[in-house]
Amino acid sequence: MPIKCVSPDYVMKLYIETFGCQMNVLDSQLVEGSLARDGYTKVSTPDEADLILYNTCSVRDRAEEKVRSRLGRIRGLKESRPDLVIGILGCMAQRESGKLLSAWPHVDLVCGTRELHRVPELVREIQESRRPAKATDIRADFVFDTMPRPGVDGPLAYVSVMRGCDNVCSFCVVPRTRGRENSKPLQAVVDELKGLIDQGVKEVMLLGQNINSYGKGLPGEPDLADLLAALDPIPGLERIRFVTSNPWDMTEKLFRAMEELPTVCEYLHFPFQSGSDRILESMRRDYTANDYLRLVDRARALVPTIELATDIIVGYPGEDDEDFEATVRMVREVEFLQAYIFKYSVRPGTTAVRLGDPVPIPTKKSRNRILLEIQDEITLRKRKEKVGQTEQVLVEGPSKKVPEIFSGRTRQNHLAVFPPDGTVPGDLVDVLVADCTPRVLRGEVCSR
Ligand code: 5AD
Ligand code: SF4
């Protein structure tokens, strides 16, 4: 029995904050949905909550630092309200496990990435026993389909199709925090998608840490292209995107599926991390800069309208000026639509730990700035090429900054803003692009 239930009318309140990637956003939605079954409603500040959850990310130290700072800030809340339950979920919970409970005595719950379906049960246990609980088993047989969503919010939805990563990139903590690869059966994805479409979803983003190895270990070994082909004909589904793709599992079959299946958007998030072969080898990325460029050529030959996005790490141990120049060359040569650039952060338990962190912070910062500037120029140029053209946009609703203006995305993932002109979220419209900024295309709806 939740101890706060003194009055039958009392509504238990949940504050949940999410750090990190789209998978975490989805996981938080699933946790929220399963807690709603126990009567929890979401609130927007920790002060009002009976249950505070942080769904954490470990990919860089900065993400963990933010959580540590939140935990410090809410210590006082727990002192004044001992019945408050505080939980850490996700990657940091997985990585640090029991250590979090000793380091932060006001934390009650530590729940890793593969036991999130147990959160409601564990919270009840804590409320009854007043003792902390920890669930950080990283078994491969994560039960994907037992957690309900809180209901869809607009025309876009995330669907996880595989979890975990069997790769061994030297810098990356994800294989430790998310465990071994595990794919959701194809029919389960189809059913989940149909359910979302019934609720008004038009575009799905399929999620997986290493999505193009989808299907390994499933009966019949379907691959990502097979999955896309099974989803494409579902009535009411307008668009499919998928992240994150790694160079080593990209196949011609997948590129062909992107070109041939009408719902699959011509946009690929396709990290190369470094343009230097020496660094790629040390990162254990199993491809060279030339291999990557060849894949980019194949992608563009088979999917002529494709836009690419990438992740890049600067300041990896041993990265000298020449290595960095090779990364700059790659950025200039490929001309990505977007590049997410990260300063290297040592992660405990990864193989790169033994290399230390020799690149000075100012060097990392300046390399980061240089790449950002180059990428901004390229992005702006690509946006300018769209001016005067008509682009298909899926209307998402009021833009974050100016609510009287609507926003949406083109198939190639340009953000576009436009006056609503009678459109509603979920409409597919044509927008005539009038001008652009480095961040968005601006235009008007010209047909629907
Ligand atoms: N330091 C900096 N960036 C990292 N990434 C992963 N691990 C690290 C790290 N230790 C970046 C990679 C990856 C993205 C999700 O985060 O670029 O693709
Ligand atoms: Fe990390 Fe490499 Fe797996 Fe990506 S592919 S999650 S960078 S280990």
Side-chain angles (χ1 to χ4, degrees), residues 272 274-277 289 321-331:
F272 76 87
S274 168
S276 153
D277 289 345
D321 288 345
E322 220 175 287
D323 298 314
F324 176 64
E325 273 312 309
T327 299
V328 169
R329 275 200 302 280
M330 185 77 107
V331 169

Side-chain angles (χ1 to χ4, degrees), residues 50 101 125 154 157 163 211-212 220 227 247 250 269 273 275 291 343 361 363 372 405 415 448:
D50 303 291
L101 291 175
E125 255 175 56
R163 287 172 183 262
I211 199 161
N212 36 17
L227 177 67
M250 285 311 295
H269 184 232
Q273 310 295 359
D291 295 337
K343 298 190 274 296
I361 291 170
T363 309
L372 279 176
I405 297 287
L415 184 63
R448 60 189 78 156

Side-chain angles (χ1 to χ4, degrees), residues 15 25 59 121 125 203 255 263 286 310 330 367 373 405 412:
Y15 174 80
V25 173
V59 89
E121 155 211 333
E125 255 175 56
E203 176 176 320
F255 289 137
T263 58
D286 226 15
T310 191
M330 185 77 107
R367 289 179 182 169
E373 280 168 12
I405 297 287
Q412 282 82 8

Side-chain angles (χ1 to χ4, degrees), residues 193-437:
L193 227 101
K194 285 184 176 160
L196 290 167
I197 289 164
D198 287 345
Q199 296 175 66
V201 166
K202 304 274 188 206
E203 176 176 320
V204 288
M205 170 97 78
L206 307 180
L207 306 178
Q209 272 79 34
N210 193 21
I211 199 161
N212 36 17
S213 72
Y214 171 79
K216 248 198 303 179
L218 286 179
E221 301 246 336
D223 61 18
L224 182 59
D226 298 328
L227 177 67
L228 296 173
L231 300 177
D232 178 72
I234 296 178
L237 177 64
E238 301 285 1
R239 286 177 171 184
I240 308 175
R241 301 184 195 275
F242 56 92
V243 287
T244 288
S245 301
N246 285 304
W248 43 80
D249 288 322
M250 285 311 295
T251 59
E252 298 252 328
K253 184 178 168 193
L254 182 58
F255 289 137
R256 286 185 203 284
M258 291 184 81
E259 179 61 5
E260 283 161 17
L261 301 171
T263 58
V264 181
C265 290
E266 298 76 22
Y267 173 80
L268 190 66
H269 184 232
F270 186 40
F272 76 87
Q273 310 295 359
S274 168
S276 153
D277 289 345
R278 211 171 59 84
I279 297 294
L280 286 171
E281 195 181 342
S282 171
M283 287 177 164
R284 303 175 74 181
R285 293 283 292 182
D286 226 15
Y287 55 88
T288 63
N290 257 330
D291 295 337
Y292 185 86
L293 287 172
R294 272 205 303 274
L295 276 171
V296 168
D297 286 346
R298 282 315 285 157
R300 288 186 167 144
L302 294 169
V303 192
T305 56
I306 200 166
E307 285 291 4
L308 302 169
T310 191
D311 294 348
I312 301 168
I313 296 177
V314 292
Y316 180 84
E319 184 190 68
D320 62 20
D321 288 345
E322 220 175 287
D323 298 314
F324 176 64
E325 273 312 309
T327 299
V328 169
R329 275 200 302 280
M330 185 77 107
V331 169
R332 288 198 194 280
E333 182 158 349
V334 176
E335 301 198 312
F336 298 95
L337 177 61
Q338 275 145 343
Y340 302 94
I341 302 154
F342 305 105
K343 298 190 274 296
Y344 176 69
S345 164
V346 182
R347 305 315 295 134
T350 59
T351 52
V353 166
R354 66 190 160 75
L355 304 174
D357 194 8
V359 179
I361 291 170
T363 309
K364 286 184 186 169
K365 281 190 179 159
S366 103
R367 289 179 182 169
N368 186 41
R369 206 186 44 247
I370 292 168
L371 282 182
L372 279 176
E373 280 168 12
I374 297 170
Q375 183 56 45
D376 279 355
E377 257 173 54
I378 296 170
T379 305
L380 182 61
R381 198 178 334 126
K382 282 182 175 278
R383 300 223 199 275
K384 281 186 176 157
E385 283 166 12
K386 296 288 173 193
V387 174
Q389 294 196 15
T390 300
E391 288 286 317
Q392 186 209 61
V393 170
L394 183 84
V395 180
E396 289 173 28
S399 85
K400 280 196 193 106
K401 285 199 185 132
V402 192
E404 30 318 337
I405 297 287
F406 271 13
S407 73
R409 285 181 182 272
T410 69
R411 289 180 66 90
Q412 282 82 8
N413 213 24
H414 284 277
L415 184 63
V417 293
F418 45 92
D421 197 17
T423 59
V424 293
D427 283 352
L428 263 189
V429 297
D430 287 333
V431 169
L432 176 63
V433 182
D435 66 48
C436 68
T437 72

Side-chain angles (χ1 to χ4, degrees), residues 24-216:
N24 265 16
V25 173
L26 172 62
D27 286 348
S28 291
Q29 289 172 358
L30 298 173
V31 167
E32 192 192 321
S34 48
L35 283 165
R37 286 205 292 211
D38 274 15
Y40 281 85
T41 332
K42 217 163 91 163
V43 290
S44 53
T45 64
D47 306 3
E48 324 161 52
D50 303 291
L51 171 60
I52 298 177
L53 297 176
Y54 294 112
N55 193 9
T56 61
C57 168
S58 288
V59 89
R60 283 169 290 277
D61 184 57
R62 228 174 91 91
E64 292 198 346
E65 195 45 53
K66 280 192 204 156
V67 174
R68 287 191 279 269
S69 130
R70 299 289 195 281
L71 288 175
R73 239 187 273 162
I74 60 169
R75 204 189 316 246
L77 278 182
K78 178 81 171 187
E79 277 160 19
S80 56
R81 287 166 37 211
D83 55 341
L84 173 67
V85 175
I86 297 174
I88 305 180
L89 317 179
C91 287
M92 194 174 167
Q94 193 67 53
R95 197 181 71 68
E96 293 209 30
S97 189
K99 277 194 253 160
L100 283 171
L101 291 175
S102 32
W104 301 94
H106 60 303
V107 169
D108 305 282
L109 169 66
V110 169
C111 184
T113 51
R114 299 228 169 185
E115 298 223 69
L116 293 174
H117 52 289
R118 293 186 56 205
V119 168
E121 155 211 333
L122 294 166
V123 169
R124 281 195 299 271
E125 255 175 56
I126 293 164
Q127 286 164 332
E128 280 161 21
S129 68
R130 304 312 311 162
R131 282 216 305 274
K134 171 175 78 91
T136 50
D137 190 355
I138 197 154
R139 295 158 304 164
D141 60 342
F142 177 84
V143 196
F144 283 110
D145 299 296
T146 55
M147 296 172 77
R149 291 175 189 249
V152 307
D153 178 21
L156 312 185
Y158 293 139
V159 173
S160 85
V161 302
M162 59 85 65
R163 287 172 183 262
C165 182
D166 289 350
N167 295 314
V168 288
C169 304
S170 64
F171 52 83
C172 186
V173 78
V174 165
R176 267 156 215 85
T177 61
R178 290 269 178 192
R180 308 278 302 169
E181 287 177 10
N182 182 207
S183 291
K184 189 183 287 189
L186 193 142
Q187 192 54 44
V189 182
V190 170
D191 294 343
E192 191 172 335
L193 227 101
K194 285 184 176 160
L196 290 167
I197 289 164
D198 287 345
Q199 296 175 66
V201 166
K202 304 274 188 206
E203 176 176 320
V204 288
M205 170 97 78
L206 307 180
L207 306 178
Q209 272 79 34
N210 193 21
I211 199 161
N212 36 17
S213 72
Y214 171 79
K216 248 198 303 179

